[in-house]
Amino acid sequence: MLFRSDELRRLFEHLRGTARLMAQLQYGAGLRIMELIRLRVQDLDLERGIVTVRSGKGGKDRVTVLPDGLKVTLATNLLSLREGFDRDRAAGVAGVWLPPPVEHKIPKAGERWEWQWIFPSRELSTDPRSGLRRRHHVLEGAYQTAVRRAAQEAGLSKRVTPHVLRHSFATHLLAAGHDIRTVQELLGHADVATTMIYTHVLNKPGVSVKSPFDRLG
């Protein structure tokens, strides 16, 4: 299952605020849902147009495309996040959760700007492991609910989940003529056979990659 371009536009129109930006970035970069909600400030390179996915499926890092059409919105979002980050630091809020190897090597990294979540929760919560009150990333279920509700409001009759956005990213890239090996790398598939499942569209090698989000118009 995938979205047509007109269906994507309708879906985005019925999403608001953070959920809209999340859905646009998930589609525009071809991210898995957990890769999306776990993005940190250091993972976005607006100048180079790159999203770095750290410890994705299989524990491997990869890079994918950051849509040109989202750079201004993401930059504005980062300014807002920085204000919230400064308030948390002034209030003495504990740093964000860190992967154990990082926490062991750089215990205070969670208080640094570059390690902050791109999509943080509005409310603080208690870390069950450490007992600290800190700011977590948004919940997967809240984002999924927002996407499903927007799909209903947009009058989309198909069953909609955030994964359809990733599926659509792959299919639309192949339909635009990008070779399947490139799409495989952007999606983080270990086996090209997995990428083949996404589409039956013929591909043409040797075309530079542009996010399908920038083709929506």
Side-chain angles (χ1 to χ4, degrees), residues 185-197:
E185 291 180 4
L186 294 175
L187 291 171
H189 287 158
D191 190 338
V192 73
T194 306
T195 314
M196 292 291 293
I197 296 172

Side-chain angles (χ1 to χ4, degrees), residues 22-179:
M22 290 177 70
Q24 290 175 328
L25 184 57
Q26 185 179 12
Y27 167 67
L31 302 172
R32 298 179 177 92
I33 184 171
M34 294 307 297
E35 294 171 345
L36 173 73
I37 67 177
R38 290 174 176 169
L39 285 175
R40 300 179 191 254
V41 171
Q42 64 183 339
D43 299 333
L44 299 185
D45 188 331
L46 300 185
E47 183 176 346
R48 297 171 62 202
I50 290 174
V51 178
T52 300
V53 178
R54 303 182 194 278
S55 299
K57 192 171 182 180
K60 297 181 178 180
D61 294 354
R62 75 176 192 281
V63 296
T64 184
V65 60
L66 190 155
D68 290 338
L70 290 181
K71 288 182 178 180
V72 172
T73 303
L74 285 168
T76 301
N77 187 62
L78 286 172
L79 289 176
S80 178
L81 290 178
R82 183 66 196 229
E83 293 176 357
F85 166 74
D86 289 340
R87 287 194 296 269
D88 281 353
R89 298 284 68 73
V93 175
V96 296
W97 177 87
L98 297 169
V102 176
E103 184 179 41
H104 178 73
K105 186 175 181 180
I106 318 173
K108 294 293 186 179
E111 298 177 11
R112 296 183 182 177
W113 166 239
E114 65 268 24
W115 282 94
Q116 305 308 299
W117 307 112
I118 292 294
F119 302 113
S121 172
R122 292 182 180 180
E123 305 295 332
L124 299 178
S125 57
T126 300
D127 186 329
R129 183 174 63 90
S130 65
L132 295 173
R133 292 279 291 172
R134 59 178 20 141
R135 196 170 301 281
H136 199 46
H137 55 62
V138 295
L139 296 177
E140 176 184 2
Y143 172 56
Q144 291 174 321
T145 298
V147 170
R148 284 195 296 266
R149 183 181 299 118
Q152 293 173 351
E153 293 174 355
L156 303 182
S157 58
K158 60 187 62 176
R159 180 177 178 271
V160 175
T161 68
H163 183 72
V164 180
L165 294 166
R166 175 174 157 89
H167 185 172
S168 300
F169 166 87
T171 305
H172 294 169
L173 278 182
L174 287 165
H178 296 289
D179 67 279

